[in-house]
């Protein structure tokens, strides 16, 4: 038997305050607790048979469990299931509408990769023989094969959801996209160059703040061509002091952290 505290409905600041009060600075304990709760919930759901509740006339004696509504901002697809027969299957009489029952389920639309072909027709003037053609669209990477959306997806999967490039390459190969891990790694360098002005601007604004929070996390980094790792450090800087009732507004945006070899 276990008890679960659901704080997902709290605002983000209140949720962070609750986590710090319960677990202090140790975020590892919070992550471990979530994993344990997930395992307990999975084992509990597997051990309880999926049976329907009996119908009781007196609803006052029935405990009504709260039902969490799905996000109303999500796109919705309405599927209407009409009876197979347009008339009464018993007597053949005409049917008339008397209401409807509806329920919602969270569905997943499979992610699909596609090839976007840009065609620029050429035209020539019959009078001066001048060739007219629309200009080529801007590319995220010069002579590259990744669109802005594809590049953003790869970078978010790498640094937002911690999916290494080799695993992304495997997932893309399963959907018919043949791409090398080295190509994804080089794309990360081009993406960093594109985001460099934004990063510099965020750093410039952060340096003007009266207080900056930082975190130093040690982690192993793979040394190229050696098969070994060396000690590295991950520094994260945050200019957000709302928990201390500061009047300074947080910087609009999150500066990307970076990993570098640890200094002696």
């Amino acid at each position: 038997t276990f008890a679960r505290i659901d704080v997902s409905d709290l605002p983000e600041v209140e949720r962070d305050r609750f986590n710090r009060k319960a677990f202090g600075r140790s975020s590892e304990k919070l992550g471990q607790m979530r994993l344990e709760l997930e395992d307990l919930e999975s084992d509990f759901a597997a051990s309880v048979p999926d049976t329907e509740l009996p119908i009781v006339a007196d609803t006052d004696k029935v405990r009504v469990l709260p039902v969490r509504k799905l996000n109303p901002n999500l796109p919705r697809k309405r599927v209407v299931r009409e009876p197979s027969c347009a008339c009464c299957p018993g007597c053949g009489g005409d049917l008339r509408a008397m209401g409807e029952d509806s329920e919602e389920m969270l569905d997943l639309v499979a992610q699909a990769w596609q090839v976007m072909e840009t065609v620029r027709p050429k035209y020539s003037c019959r009078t001066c023989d001048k060739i007219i053609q629309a200009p080529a669209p801007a590319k995220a990477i010069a002579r590259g094969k990744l669109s802005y959306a594809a590049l953003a997806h790869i970078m978010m999967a790498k640094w937002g959801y911690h999916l290494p490039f080799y695993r992304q390459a495997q997932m893309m190969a399963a959907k018919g996209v043949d791409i090398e891990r080295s190509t994804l790694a080089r794309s990360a360098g081009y993406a960093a160059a594109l985001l460099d002005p934004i990063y510099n601007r965020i750093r410039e604004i952060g340096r003007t703040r009266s207080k900056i929070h930082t975190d130093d996390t040690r982690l192993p980094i793979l040394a190229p061509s050696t098969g070994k790792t060396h000690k590295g450090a991950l520094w994260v800087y945050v200019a957000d002091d709302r928990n201390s009732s500061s009047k300074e507004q947080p910087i609009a945006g999150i500066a990307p952290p970076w990993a570098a070899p640890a200094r002696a």
Side-chain angles (χ1 to χ4, degrees):
T1 306
F2 64 95
R4 179 177 62 183
I5 301 177
D6 190 357
V7 296
S8 59
D9 294 333
L10 297 176
E12 184 176 357
V13 176
E14 295 294 335
R15 192 161 60 245
D16 293 341
R17 185 181 292 112
F18 173 83
N19 292 335
R20 282 195 302 274
K21 184 177 180 181
F23 304 100
R25 297 181 179 179
S26 178
S27 59
E28 291 81 4
K29 291 184 179 179
L30 176 60
Q32 185 64 29
M33 187 204 70
R34 289 175 175 173
L35 292 175
E36 293 176 358
L37 283 178
E38 291 177 0
D39 293 339
L40 288 173
E41 289 176 338
S42 300
D43 295 340
F44 178 76
S47 62
V48 176
D50 187 11
T51 58
E52 296 183 358
L53 295 177
I55 300 177
V56 182
D58 190 357
T59 56
D60 295 336
K61 297 181 181 180
V62 179
R63 180 184 176 186
V64 180
L65 297 178
V67 179
R68 183 183 297 274
K69 295 184 178 180
L70 298 177
N71 187 353
N73 297 324
L74 290 175
R76 276 166 163 73
K77 178 181 178 181
R78 181 179 174 87
V79 178
V80 180
R81 296 178 60 88
E82 295 285 356
S84 58
C85 182
C87 59
C88 178
C91 65
D94 296 335
L95 301 179
R96 60 180 178 180
M98 56 168 296
E100 63 183 15
D101 294 331
S102 65
E103 62 177 355
E104 293 183 342
M105 292 187 298
L106 190 62
D107 191 20
L108 176 64
V109 180
Q111 182 189 77
W113 293 94
Q114 65 178 2
V115 177
M116 181 174 58
E117 181 183 6
T118 301
V119 180
R120 298 185 295 135
K122 292 183 179 181
Y123 300 94
S124 62
C125 178
R126 294 181 181 273
T127 303
C128 62
D129 293 333
K130 184 178 181 180
I131 297 177
I132 306 299
Q133 187 181 29
K139 282 188 174 184
I141 302 175
R143 298 185 301 276
K145 298 296 185 180
L146 295 176
S147 67
Y148 283 100
L151 185 61
H153 170 80
I154 293 170
M155 296 302 102
M156 187 60 191
K158 167 65 176 176
W159 282 281
Y161 302 111
H162 311 292
L163 285 175
F165 289 136
Y166 78 90
R167 190 169 299 168
Q168 290 191 53
Q170 293 174 352
M171 297 171 64
M172 296 169 71
K175 297 184 178 180
V177 179
D178 185 14
I179 190 169
E180 298 292 337
R181 180 191 61 83
S182 58
T183 302
L184 298 178
R186 287 195 300 270
S187 300
Y190 291 118
L194 291 173
L195 296 174
D196 194 60
I198 300 177
Y199 164 74
N200 289 331
R201 180 55 180 164
I202 293 177
R203 184 177 61 177
E204 179 182 348
I205 298 175
R207 287 179 173 178
T208 62
R209 297 305 178 91
S210 58
K211 183 188 294 185
I212 296 179
H213 304 272
T214 184
D215 177 77
D216 182 9
T217 302
R218 301 291 166 160
L219 73 166
I221 296 180
L222 182 64
S225 304
T226 62
K228 300 180 181 180
T229 59
H230 57 78
K231 292 182 180 180
L234 183 68
W235 296 292
V236 180
Y237 301 93
V238 178
D240 184 359
D241 205 30
R242 290 177 293 178
N243 292 330
S244 300
S245 302
S246 174
K247 300 299 182 180
E248 290 182 330
Q249 293 295 324
I251 297 177
I254 302 176
W258 64 89
R263 298 180 180 178

